[in-house]
Amino acid sequence: MAAAGDGPWLDDAAGRLVRPYTVSNGRTRPTTALDLLSQVMATGATPLGYLGPEHTQALERCRAPVSVAEIAAHLKLPAAVTKVLLSDLVDCGALTTKPPSFHHNPTDRSLLEAVLDGLRRQL
């Protein structure tokens, strides 16, 4: 039985019915350089050609800037597969990307300590 809103792709007992590599047509490398913190946003252009359900779901989540990691979590897909899907959308002009911006050095000790403190409060 499918979970609410998941359609035929997920099953409560069996899990994902379609393997992740099938979603990306077996491709493992995106044509656009993306990392987990890259921001993606819909351009408003209508993509030409076939889009799978995951492409459509990803595009719907990109109305405002969102990270690749957030899209992967929402789609419940591995990051590598999500990057391929998002790069398809960039290639057809439906998405734009920008690299992550760090206001500070990402290895700045005070930044890392603040992240660690936040994580500790969540546990």
Side-chain angles (χ1 to χ4, degrees), residues 77-116:
L77 288 172
V81 172
T82 302
K83 289 178 185 180
V84 171
L85 296 176
L86 294 174
S87 84
D88 291 346
L89 292 167
V90 169
D91 292 345
C92 72
L95 286 183
T96 186
T97 68
K98 74 176 193 175
S101 60
F102 293 105
H103 299 291
H104 304 286
N105 178 358
T107 59
D108 177 28
R109 183 178 178 95
S110 62
L111 174 65
L112 295 174
E113 287 175 351
V115 170
L116 182 59

Side-chain angles (χ1 to χ4, degrees), residues 58-83:
L59 191 55
E60 288 171 1
R61 299 295 293 183
C62 295
R63 292 187 180 133
V66 62
S67 71
V68 171
E70 290 176 79
I71 297 295
H74 174 74
L75 297 177
K76 298 177 181 154
L77 288 172
V81 172
T82 302
K83 289 178 185 180

